[in-house]
Amino acid sequence: VQLQASGGGLAQPGGSLRLSCAASGRFVRINDMGWFRQAPGKQRELVADITGGGGTNYANSVLGRVFIARDNAKNTVDLQMNSLLPEDTAVYYCTADIRVHWGRDSRRYWGQGTLVTVSS
């Protein structure tokens, strides 16, 4: 199982970026999917996550600016980030709780990380 993230880069304050992540490989079910971020010198923190049924959860710091969505048919999860702030600068990691066999418990997988820099 692999999670491949894309879409990071440089944006100006107030700008927008869209991150995408696709799960590939052999598995039977993807439970929740989400995005974490880690800024320099800080711990990794949740940005947003979404259940298989579409229920969402957001960090307080991104409420109203960031929106998460998934496509269950394509095994993808996107993060639309608007009104970007310099403090959004971080490496963003996609994650998913995936079951590879019905006879085994699911476990969490992580993508490779994509850098988002917000600066003028």
mmCIF file of all heavy atoms in Angstrom, residues 6-52:
data_model
loop_
_atom_site.group_PDB
_atom_site.id
_atom_site.type_symbol
_atom_site.label_atom_id
_atom_site.label_comp_id
_atom_site.label_asym_id
_atom_site.label_seq_id
_atom_site.Cartn_x
_atom_site.Cartn_y
_atom_site.Cartn_z
ATOM 1 N N SER A 6 0.586 15.046 -3.513
ATOM 2 C CA SER A 6 1.054 16.032 -4.477
ATOM 3 C C SER A 6 0.363 17.362 -4.225
ATOM 4 O O SER A 6 -0.633 17.419 -3.490
ATOM 5 C CB SER A 6 0.769 15.564 -5.908
ATOM 6 O OG SER A 6 -0.616 15.397 -6.112
ATOM 7 N N GLY A 7 0.904 18.422 -4.815
ATOM 8 C CA GLY A 7 0.228 19.706 -4.778
ATOM 9 C C GLY A 7 0.830 20.755 -3.880
ATOM 10 O O GLY A 7 0.330 21.871 -3.827
ATOM 11 N N GLY A 8 1.874 20.446 -3.173
ATOM 12 C CA GLY A 8 2.497 21.456 -2.331
ATOM 13 C C GLY A 8 3.228 22.496 -3.157
ATOM 14 O O GLY A 8 3.301 22.401 -4.381
ATOM 15 N N GLY A 9 3.747 23.499 -2.481
ATOM 16 C CA GLY A 9 4.495 24.526 -3.181
ATOM 17 C C GLY A 9 4.473 25.831 -2.423
ATOM 18 O O GLY A 9 4.183 25.870 -1.233
ATOM 19 N N LEU A 10 4.766 26.897 -3.157
ATOM 20 C CA LEU A 10 4.837 28.234 -2.574
ATOM 21 C C LEU A 10 3.557 28.998 -2.883
ATOM 22 O O LEU A 10 3.079 28.983 -4.029
ATOM 23 C CB LEU A 10 6.037 28.980 -3.155
ATOM 24 C CG LEU A 10 6.214 30.444 -2.748
ATOM 25 C CD1 LEU A 10 6.484 30.556 -1.255
ATOM 26 C CD2 LEU A 10 7.334 31.084 -3.567
ATOM 27 N N ALA A 11 3.009 29.632 -1.872
ATOM 28 C CA ALA A 11 1.824 30.461 -2.056
ATOM 29 C C ALA A 11 2.004 31.744 -1.256
ATOM 30 O O ALA A 11 2.722 31.768 -0.241
ATOM 31 C CB ALA A 11 0.572 29.728 -1.592
ATOM 32 N N GLN A 12 1.353 32.790 -1.711
ATOM 33 C CA GLN A 12 1.387 34.052 -0.973
ATOM 34 C C GLN A 12 0.336 34.050 0.122
ATOM 35 O O GLN A 12 -0.670 33.328 0.027
ATOM 36 C CB GLN A 12 1.121 35.213 -1.931
ATOM 37 C CG GLN A 12 2.237 35.442 -2.930
ATOM 38 C CD GLN A 12 2.032 36.728 -3.715
ATOM 39 O OE1 GLN A 12 0.928 37.254 -3.795
ATOM 40 N NE2 GLN A 12 3.114 37.244 -4.290
ATOM 41 N N PRO A 13 0.539 34.815 1.159
ATOM 42 C CA PRO A 13 -0.510 34.952 2.184
ATOM 43 C C PRO A 13 -1.825 35.368 1.532
ATOM 44 O O PRO A 13 -1.845 36.257 0.665
ATOM 45 C CB PRO A 13 0.039 36.040 3.101
ATOM 46 C CG PRO A 13 1.521 35.927 2.965
ATOM 47 C CD PRO A 13 1.754 35.569 1.513
ATOM 48 N N GLY A 14 -2.899 34.704 1.924
ATOM 49 C CA GLY A 14 -4.195 34.958 1.326
ATOM 50 C C GLY A 14 -4.491 34.106 0.119
ATOM 51 O O GLY A 14 -5.621 34.092 -0.375
ATOM 52 N N GLY A 15 -3.488 33.392 -0.348
ATOM 53 C CA GLY A 15 -3.655 32.553 -1.520
ATOM 54 C C GLY A 15 -4.241 31.193 -1.189
ATOM 55 O O GLY A 15 -4.647 30.926 -0.048
ATOM 56 N N SER A 16 -4.261 30.342 -2.213
ATOM 57 C CA SER A 16 -4.846 29.011 -2.074
ATOM 58 C C SER A 16 -3.912 27.948 -2.636
ATOM 59 O O SER A 16 -3.121 28.215 -3.543
ATOM 60 C CB SER A 16 -6.182 28.938 -2.828
ATOM 61 O OG SER A 16 -7.125 29.824 -2.286
ATOM 62 N N LEU A 17 -4.038 26.769 -2.082
ATOM 63 C CA LEU A 17 -3.352 25.583 -2.604
ATOM 64 C C LEU A 17 -4.276 24.389 -2.418
ATOM 65 O O LEU A 17 -5.077 24.358 -1.467
ATOM 66 C CB LEU A 17 -2.045 25.311 -1.857
ATOM 67 C CG LEU A 17 -0.801 26.117 -2.219
ATOM 68 C CD1 LEU A 17 0.338 25.759 -1.288
ATOM 69 C CD2 LEU A 17 -0.401 25.881 -3.672
ATOM 70 N N ARG A 18 -4.119 23.420 -3.294
ATOM 71 C CA ARG A 18 -4.895 22.183 -3.180
ATOM 72 C C ARG A 18 -3.917 21.026 -3.134
ATOM 73 O O ARG A 18 -3.092 20.869 -4.032
ATOM 74 C CB ARG A 18 -5.853 22.025 -4.355
ATOM 75 C CG ARG A 18 -6.807 20.855 -4.216
ATOM 76 C CD ARG A 18 -7.780 20.822 -5.385
ATOM 77 N NE ARG A 18 -8.803 19.801 -5.246
ATOM 78 C CZ ARG A 18 -9.958 19.988 -4.618
ATOM 79 N NH1 ARG A 18 -10.241 21.164 -4.094
ATOM 80 N NH2 ARG A 18 -10.842 19.014 -4.518
ATOM 81 N N LEU A 19 -4.022 20.230 -2.098
ATOM 82 C CA LEU A 19 -3.213 19.032 -1.966
ATOM 83 C C LEU A 19 -4.059 17.819 -2.323
ATOM 84 O O LEU A 19 -5.252 17.768 -1.994
ATOM 85 C CB LEU A 19 -2.685 18.883 -0.532
ATOM 86 C CG LEU A 19 -1.942 20.081 0.052
ATOM 87 C CD1 LEU A 19 -1.441 19.742 1.453
ATOM 88 C CD2 LEU A 19 -0.806 20.514 -0.841
ATOM 89 N N SER A 20 -3.429 16.855 -2.960
ATOM 90 C CA SER A 20 -4.117 15.625 -3.310
ATOM 91 C C SER A 20 -3.308 14.432 -2.843
ATOM 92 O O SER A 20 -2.072 14.495 -2.777
ATOM 93 C CB SER A 20 -4.328 15.544 -4.829
ATOM 94 O OG SER A 20 -5.169 16.567 -5.280
ATOM 95 N N CYS A 21 -3.995 13.354 -2.551
ATOM 96 C CA CYS A 21 -3.325 12.133 -2.104
ATOM 97 C C CYS A 21 -4.102 10.941 -2.641
ATOM 98 O O CYS A 21 -5.329 10.887 -2.518
ATOM 99 C CB CYS A 21 -3.268 12.093 -0.588
ATOM 100 S SG CYS A 21 -2.489 10.618 0.085
ATOM 101 N N ALA A 22 -3.374 10.000 -3.218
ATOM 102 C CA ALA A 22 -4.001 8.808 -3.774
ATOM 103 C C ALA A 22 -3.425 7.558 -3.120
ATOM 104 O O ALA A 22 -2.202 7.429 -2.994
ATOM 105 C CB ALA A 22 -3.776 8.752 -5.277
ATOM 106 N N ALA A 23 -4.300 6.657 -2.747
ATOM 107 C CA ALA A 23 -3.882 5.368 -2.193
ATOM 108 C C ALA A 23 -3.834 4.343 -3.313
ATOM 109 O O ALA A 23 -4.738 4.279 -4.151
ATOM 110 C CB ALA A 23 -4.858 4.917 -1.120
ATOM 111 N N SER A 24 -2.780 3.560 -3.318
ATOM 112 C CA SER A 24 -2.644 2.514 -4.331
ATOM 113 C C SER A 24 -2.148 1.241 -3.678
ATOM 114 O O SER A 24 -1.635 1.249 -2.558
ATOM 115 C CB SER A 24 -1.682 2.965 -5.428
ATOM 116 O OG SER A 24 -0.396 3.205 -4.903
ATOM 117 N N GLY A 25 -2.285 0.136 -4.400
ATOM 118 C CA GLY A 25 -1.874 -1.151 -3.875
ATOM 119 C C GLY A 25 -3.072 -2.058 -3.678
ATOM 120 O O GLY A 25 -4.161 -1.793 -4.174
ATOM 121 N N ARG A 26 -2.877 -3.126 -2.933
ATOM 122 C CA ARG A 26 -3.944 -4.093 -2.700
ATOM 123 C C ARG A 26 -4.495 -3.924 -1.296
ATOM 124 O O ARG A 26 -3.761 -4.046 -0.314
ATOM 125 C CB ARG A 26 -3.417 -5.512 -2.907
ATOM 126 C CG ARG A 26 -2.911 -5.761 -4.318
ATOM 127 C CD ARG A 26 -2.467 -7.195 -4.510
ATOM 128 N NE ARG A 26 -3.598 -8.118 -4.443
ATOM 129 C CZ ARG A 26 -3.482 -9.426 -4.636
ATOM 130 N NH1 ARG A 26 -2.309 -9.963 -4.877
ATOM 131 N NH2 ARG A 26 -4.549 -10.199 -4.558
ATOM 132 N N PHE A 27 -5.759 -3.642 -1.204
ATOM 133 C CA PHE A 27 -6.419 -3.498 0.084
ATOM 134 C C PHE A 27 -7.902 -3.722 -0.101
ATOM 135 O O PHE A 27 -8.403 -3.678 -1.226
ATOM 136 C CB PHE A 27 -6.144 -2.118 0.714
ATOM 137 C CG PHE A 27 -6.340 -0.959 -0.220
ATOM 138 C CD1 PHE A 27 -7.600 -0.411 -0.418
ATOM 139 C CD2 PHE A 27 -5.261 -0.412 -0.905
ATOM 140 C CE1 PHE A 27 -7.780 0.658 -1.277
ATOM 141 C CE2 PHE A 27 -5.434 0.663 -1.764
ATOM 142 C CZ PHE A 27 -6.695 1.196 -1.959
ATOM 143 N N VAL A 28 -8.588 -3.954 1.013
ATOM 144 C CA VAL A 28 -10.023 -4.233 0.915
ATOM 145 C C VAL A 28 -10.883 -3.080 1.420
ATOM 146 O O VAL A 28 -12.062 -3.012 1.083
ATOM 147 C CB VAL A 28 -10.387 -5.528 1.672
ATOM 148 C CG1 VAL A 28 -9.703 -6.728 1.014
ATOM 149 C CG2 VAL A 28 -10.004 -5.431 3.146
ATOM 150 N N ARG A 29 -10.272 -2.204 2.223
ATOM 151 C CA ARG A 29 -11.093 -1.116 2.764
ATOM 152 C C ARG A 29 -10.200 0.012 3.233
ATOM 153 O O ARG A 29 -9.158 -0.212 3.848
ATOM 154 C CB ARG A 29 -11.939 -1.603 3.931
ATOM 155 C CG ARG A 29 -12.957 -0.594 4.436
ATOM 156 C CD ARG A 29 -13.656 -1.111 5.688
ATOM 157 N NE ARG A 29 -14.817 -0.322 6.037
ATOM 158 C CZ ARG A 29 -16.054 -0.621 5.683
ATOM 159 N NH1 ARG A 29 -16.302 -1.697 4.967
ATOM 160 N NH2 ARG A 29 -17.053 0.135 6.044
ATOM 161 N N ILE A 30 -10.640 1.239 2.946
ATOM 162 C CA ILE A 30 -10.007 2.427 3.519
ATOM 163 C C ILE A 30 -10.988 3.031 4.498
ATOM 164 O O ILE A 30 -12.117 3.349 4.122
ATOM 165 C CB ILE A 30 -9.638 3.456 2.449
ATOM 166 C CG1 ILE A 30 -8.679 2.851 1.428
ATOM 167 C CG2 ILE A 30 -9.002 4.689 3.099
ATOM 168 C CD1 ILE A 30 -8.304 3.813 0.301
ATOM 169 N N ASN A 31 -10.587 3.153 5.717
ATOM 170 C CA ASN A 31 -11.434 3.780 6.731
ATOM 171 C C ASN A 31 -11.230 5.296 6.659
ATOM 172 O O ASN A 31 -11.425 5.890 5.618
ATOM 173 C CB ASN A 31 -11.129 3.181 8.092
ATOM 174 C CG ASN A 31 -11.463 1.699 8.127
ATOM 175 O OD1 ASN A 31 -12.517 1.263 7.653
ATOM 176 N ND2 ASN A 31 -10.557 0.903 8.665
ATOM 177 N N ASP A 32 -10.795 5.923 7.711
ATOM 178 C CA ASP A 32 -10.643 7.367 7.645
ATOM 179 C C ASP A 32 -9.398 7.757 6.853
ATOM 180 O O ASP A 32 -8.432 6.991 6.787
ATOM 181 C CB ASP A 32 -10.583 7.982 9.048
ATOM 182 C CG ASP A 32 -9.395 7.491 9.833
ATOM 183 O OD1 ASP A 32 -9.465 6.381 10.344
ATOM 184 O OD2 ASP A 32 -8.396 8.240 9.919
ATOM 185 N N MET A 33 -9.447 8.918 6.250
ATOM 186 C CA MET A 33 -8.312 9.511 5.555
ATOM 187 C C MET A 33 -8.121 10.914 6.103
ATOM 188 O O MET A 33 -9.087 11.525 6.592
ATOM 189 C CB MET A 33 -8.552 9.566 4.045
ATOM 190 C CG MET A 33 -8.883 8.225 3.427
ATOM 191 S SD MET A 33 -9.090 8.326 1.636
ATOM 192 C CE MET A 33 -7.381 8.263 1.086
ATOM 193 N N GLY A 34 -6.907 11.420 6.003
ATOM 194 C CA GLY A 34 -6.707 12.757 6.550
ATOM 195 C C GLY A 34 -5.370 13.354 6.194
ATOM 196 O O GLY A 34 -4.578 12.767 5.449
ATOM 197 N N TRP A 35 -5.157 14.533 6.740
ATOM 198 C CA TRP A 35 -3.920 15.274 6.551
ATOM 199 C C TRP A 35 -3.401 15.766 7.891
ATOM 200 O O TRP A 35 -4.162 16.300 8.700
ATOM 201 C CB TRP A 35 -4.149 16.473 5.634
ATOM 202 C CG TRP A 35 -4.458 16.102 4.233
ATOM 203 C CD1 TRP A 35 -5.693 15.832 3.696
ATOM 204 C CD2 TRP A 35 -3.527 15.941 3.165
ATOM 205 N NE1 TRP A 35 -5.573 15.516 2.375
ATOM 206 C CE2 TRP A 35 -4.252 15.581 2.018
ATOM 207 C CE3 TRP A 35 -2.138 16.080 3.060
ATOM 208 C CZ2 TRP A 35 -3.637 15.344 0.793
ATOM 209 C CZ3 TRP A 35 -1.529 15.859 1.846
ATOM 210 C CH2 TRP A 35 -2.273 15.494 0.717
ATOM 211 N N PHE A 36 -2.107 15.571 8.095
ATOM 212 C CA PHE A 36 -1.390 16.146 9.218
ATOM 213 C C PHE A 36 -0.350 17.108 8.665
ATOM 214 O O PHE A 36 -0.057 17.103 7.473
ATOM 215 C CB PHE A 36 -0.686 15.042 10.025
ATOM 216 C CG PHE A 36 -1.580 14.280 10.950
ATOM 217 C CD1 PHE A 36 -2.569 13.447 10.475
ATOM 218 C CD2 PHE A 36 -1.422 14.391 12.326
ATOM 219 C CE1 PHE A 36 -3.394 12.733 11.334
ATOM 220 C CE2 PHE A 36 -2.230 13.679 13.206
ATOM 221 C CZ PHE A 36 -3.214 12.847 12.703
ATOM 222 N N ARG A 37 0.194 17.921 9.526
ATOM 223 C CA ARG A 37 1.290 18.792 9.119
ATOM 224 C C ARG A 37 2.293 18.930 10.245
ATOM 225 O O ARG A 37 1.963 18.767 11.419
ATOM 226 C CB ARG A 37 0.778 20.174 8.707
ATOM 227 C CG ARG A 37 0.203 21.001 9.844
ATOM 228 C CD ARG A 37 -0.373 22.302 9.290
ATOM 229 N NE ARG A 37 -0.944 23.137 10.353
ATOM 230 C CZ ARG A 37 -1.621 24.253 10.124
ATOM 231 N NH1 ARG A 37 -1.821 24.682 8.867
ATOM 232 N NH2 ARG A 37 -2.095 24.952 11.129
ATOM 233 N N GLN A 38 3.524 19.215 9.837
ATOM 234 C CA GLN A 38 4.587 19.422 10.806
ATOM 235 C C GLN A 38 5.410 20.627 10.387
ATOM 236 O O GLN A 38 6.073 20.609 9.345
ATOM 237 C CB GLN A 38 5.471 18.185 10.931
ATOM 238 C CG GLN A 38 6.498 18.287 12.049
ATOM 239 C CD GLN A 38 7.126 16.949 12.387
ATOM 240 O OE1 GLN A 38 7.098 16.012 11.593
ATOM 241 N NE2 GLN A 38 7.688 16.850 13.578
ATOM 242 N N ALA A 39 5.354 21.654 11.215
ATOM 243 C CA ALA A 39 6.141 22.859 10.977
ATOM 244 C C ALA A 39 7.520 22.692 11.619
ATOM 245 O O ALA A 39 7.671 21.887 12.542
ATOM 246 C CB ALA A 39 5.419 24.067 11.557
ATOM 247 N N PRO A 40 8.503 23.434 11.150
ATOM 248 C CA PRO A 40 9.849 23.318 11.728
ATOM 249 C C PRO A 40 9.840 23.527 13.243
ATOM 250 O O PRO A 40 9.265 24.509 13.734
ATOM 251 C CB PRO A 40 10.625 24.433 11.018
ATOM 252 C CG PRO A 40 9.916 24.613 9.729
ATOM 253 C CD PRO A 40 8.464 24.378 10.036
ATOM 254 N N GLY A 41 10.419 22.601 13.954
ATOM 255 C CA GLY A 41 10.523 22.720 15.398
ATOM 256 C C GLY A 41 9.253 22.408 16.159
ATOM 257 O O GLY A 41 9.200 22.589 17.384
ATOM 258 N N LYS A 42 8.223 21.942 15.447
ATOM 259 C CA LYS A 42 6.953 21.646 16.119
ATOM 260 C C LYS A 42 6.560 20.186 15.905
ATOM 261 O O LYS A 42 7.082 19.500 15.025
ATOM 262 C CB LYS A 42 5.855 22.570 15.591
ATOM 263 C CG LYS A 42 6.069 24.033 15.932
ATOM 264 C CD LYS A 42 4.862 24.858 15.559
ATOM 265 C CE LYS A 42 5.026 26.307 15.974
ATOM 266 N NZ LYS A 42 3.829 27.117 15.634
ATOM 267 N N GLN A 43 5.630 19.747 16.708
ATOM 268 C CA GLN A 43 5.134 18.383 16.577
ATOM 269 C C GLN A 43 4.149 18.277 15.412
ATOM 270 O O GLN A 43 3.518 19.269 15.022
ATOM 271 C CB GLN A 43 4.434 17.952 17.870
ATOM 272 C CG GLN A 43 5.378 17.733 19.034
ATOM 273 C CD GLN A 43 4.677 17.127 20.237
ATOM 274 O OE1 GLN A 43 3.497 17.370 20.473
ATOM 275 N NE2 GLN A 43 5.397 16.316 20.997
ATOM 276 N N ARG A 44 4.037 17.080 14.892
ATOM 277 C CA ARG A 44 3.055 16.829 13.846
ATOM 278 C C ARG A 44 1.655 16.999 14.434
ATOM 279 O O ARG A 44 1.375 16.535 15.539
ATOM 280 C CB ARG A 44 3.225 15.421 13.277
ATOM 281 C CG ARG A 44 2.427 15.144 12.027
ATOM 282 C CD ARG A 44 2.748 13.788 11.451
ATOM 283 N NE ARG A 44 4.142 13.691 11.009
ATOM 284 C CZ ARG A 44 4.613 12.681 10.288
ATOM 285 N NH1 ARG A 44 3.808 11.673 9.932
ATOM 286 N NH2 ARG A 44 5.875 12.655 9.928
ATOM 287 N N GLU A 45 0.788 17.673 13.680
ATOM 288 C CA GLU A 45 -0.561 17.926 14.180
ATOM 289 C C GLU A 45 -1.591 17.617 13.101
ATOM 290 O O GLU A 45 -1.324 17.745 11.905
ATOM 291 C CB GLU A 45 -0.710 19.385 14.619
ATOM 292 C CG GLU A 45 -0.531 20.393 13.501
ATOM 293 C CD GLU A 45 -0.785 21.834 13.945
ATOM 294 O OE1 GLU A 45 -1.043 22.073 15.136
ATOM 295 O OE2 GLU A 45 -0.739 22.725 13.068
ATOM 296 N N LEU A 46 -2.780 17.255 13.563
ATOM 297 C CA LEU A 46 -3.878 16.995 12.639
ATOM 298 C C LEU A 46 -4.333 18.304 12.003
ATOM 299 O O LEU A 46 -4.511 19.305 12.698
ATOM 300 C CB LEU A 46 -5.040 16.351 13.385
ATOM 301 C CG LEU A 46 -6.326 16.172 12.581
ATOM 302 C CD1 LEU A 46 -6.153 15.087 11.534
ATOM 303 C CD2 LEU A 46 -7.494 15.863 13.505
ATOM 304 N N VAL A 47 -4.557 18.260 10.692
ATOM 305 C CA VAL A 47 -5.178 19.384 9.990
ATOM 306 C C VAL A 47 -6.666 19.088 9.790
ATOM 307 O O VAL A 47 -7.529 19.876 10.168
ATOM 308 C CB VAL A 47 -4.503 19.633 8.633
ATOM 309 C CG1 VAL A 47 -5.188 20.790 7.902
ATOM 310 C CG2 VAL A 47 -3.016 19.911 8.806
ATOM 311 N N ALA A 48 -6.955 17.931 9.191
ATOM 312 C CA ALA A 48 -8.331 17.542 8.947
ATOM 313 C C ALA A 48 -8.378 16.057 8.640
ATOM 314 O O ALA A 48 -7.408 15.497 8.123
ATOM 315 C CB ALA A 48 -8.927 18.331 7.780
ATOM 316 N N ASP A 49 -9.507 15.440 8.974
ATOM 317 C CA ASP A 49 -9.705 14.061 8.550
ATOM 318 C C ASP A 49 -11.154 13.849 8.153
ATOM 319 O O ASP A 49 -12.024 14.683 8.424
ATOM 320 C CB ASP A 49 -9.225 13.049 9.591
ATOM 321 C CG ASP A 49 -9.941 13.160 10.920
ATOM 322 O OD1 ASP A 49 -11.049 13.736 10.964
ATOM 323 O OD2 ASP A 49 -9.380 12.673 11.926
ATOM 324 N N ILE A 50 -11.380 12.728 7.465
ATOM 325 C CA ILE A 50 -12.702 12.449 6.922
ATOM 326 C C ILE A 50 -12.940 10.947 6.967
ATOM 327 O O ILE A 50 -12.075 10.148 6.616
ATOM 328 C CB ILE A 50 -12.815 13.003 5.479
ATOM 329 C CG1 ILE A 50 -14.222 12.791 4.916
ATOM 330 C CG2 ILE A 50 -11.747 12.425 4.558
ATOM 331 C CD1 ILE A 50 -14.482 13.582 3.632
ATOM 332 N N THR A 51 -14.117 10.563 7.433
ATOM 333 C CA THR A 51 -14.460 9.154 7.522
ATOM 334 C C THR A 51 -14.908 8.627 6.163
ATOM 335 O O THR A 51 -15.122 9.393 5.219
ATOM 336 C CB THR A 51 -15.588 8.945 8.534
ATOM 337 O OG1 THR A 51 -16.785 9.546 8.022
ATOM 338 C CG2 THR A 51 -15.249 9.559 9.884
ATOM 339 N N GLY A 52 -15.074 7.327 6.103
ATOM 340 C CA GLY A 52 -15.559 6.736 4.862
ATOM 341 C C GLY A 52 -16.940 7.228 4.476
ATOM 342 O O GLY A 52 -17.276 7.292 3.297
#
